[in-house]
Structures are given as structure tokens and as C-alpha cells.
Amino acid sequence: MGPVLGVRFIGAKRAASPYRGGVRVFQKVRHSKTTDAAVVGYVGPAARPRRLALRLPDGRTVLSRAVPAHVALEVARHTATSGTGGRARVDDGDEYTTMSAGLVAEVEAGTTRHATVTVTRLR
């Protein structure tokens, strides 16, 4: 998804912060669109997955950016009870360990000019 009405980001500052010309106090806030993706595997140890293999709604299988600790913990609990499978590859060739179906992740996709997928939480 491209910029909305030509706006790529909004600059924002804390309400309590005074405006000082020439000093960068603004933070970039980008628009993000979330979608659900099926978790099909992970990279790293089963007890602490570092990245998730995700099947996006368009059918592509990609690796996420590094996942937050709370997401890794939930995935580790799921794999401890349901087990893991074999090895597979995402569309660009990186390997991951497969796992049983059942987890769905809310992800931000296409929020930067790079092809990154960020997991925000599990559903």
C-alpha cells in the first residue's frame, strides 16, 4: 500500500515539549495496516523462537522481524504441547522449523519501504 493522499508520515511531539526551532523533537509516525497471518513455523530454538514463518493472506510465506518476548513465549507454549515438524523454506529460501497449525498472528506488513513483516500479537 502506498502513501495515503501523498502523506508518508506525520511528525509528532509530546504536548509538554516546547517547540524549539532547529532542534529535532518530532518523532515520525507512520501509518500501519494490520492483517492476520497463519503462523506456520519459527526460526531459533523451540523454547525461544526469534522469528516466525508466516503465511500471508496473499499466499506468500515470509519470515517476520524479531518477535517480542511475550510472543516468543506463547509460541514456545504452543510448540511444547503440539510439537514441531520438519524443516521448510520461505519463498525467498530461508529455512525454518515447521509447527502444527492453530496460531494466528496480527502483523503489520508494508509499513516501510522494505519488505518487512512485524508481529504485533497472537490472536
Side-chain angles (χ1 to χ4, degrees):
M1 179 176 161
V4 178
L5 299 175
V7 177
R8 291 179 46 186
F9 63 87
I10 297 173
K13 70 173 189 65
R14 294 186 187 277
S17 297
Y19 174 77
R20 291 176 270 163
V23 178
R24 186 173 181 183
V25 295
F26 290 91
Q27 294 289 319
K28 287 183 180 179
V29 180
R30 294 184 185 269
H31 169 73
S32 65
K33 180 180 176 185
T34 60
T35 188
D36 288 345
V39 180
V40 295
Y42 60 90
V43 173
R48 178 61 169 96
R50 291 186 301 269
R51 299 169 70 189
L52 299 183
L54 304 162
R55 178 143 313 113
L56 299 175
D58 64 7
R60 292 181 299 138
T61 303
V62 298
L63 289 181
S64 71
R65 297 176 81 179
V67 294
H70 70 277
V71 171
L73 181 61
E74 288 184 61
V75 173
R77 286 183 185 144
H78 178 77
T79 58
T81 58
S82 62
T84 61
R87 303 290 290 170
R89 294 184 182 273
V90 293
D91 294 348
D92 69 2
D94 291 330
E95 261 194 4
Y96 67 92
T97 303
T98 62
M99 56 187 269
S100 65
L103 289 181
V104 175
E106 179 183 87
V107 299
E108 293 176 350
T111 56
T112 68
R113 64 180 178 257
H114 308 291
T116 61
V117 176
T118 304
V119 175
T120 56
R121 66 184 172 131
L122 295 180
R123 297 237 186 232

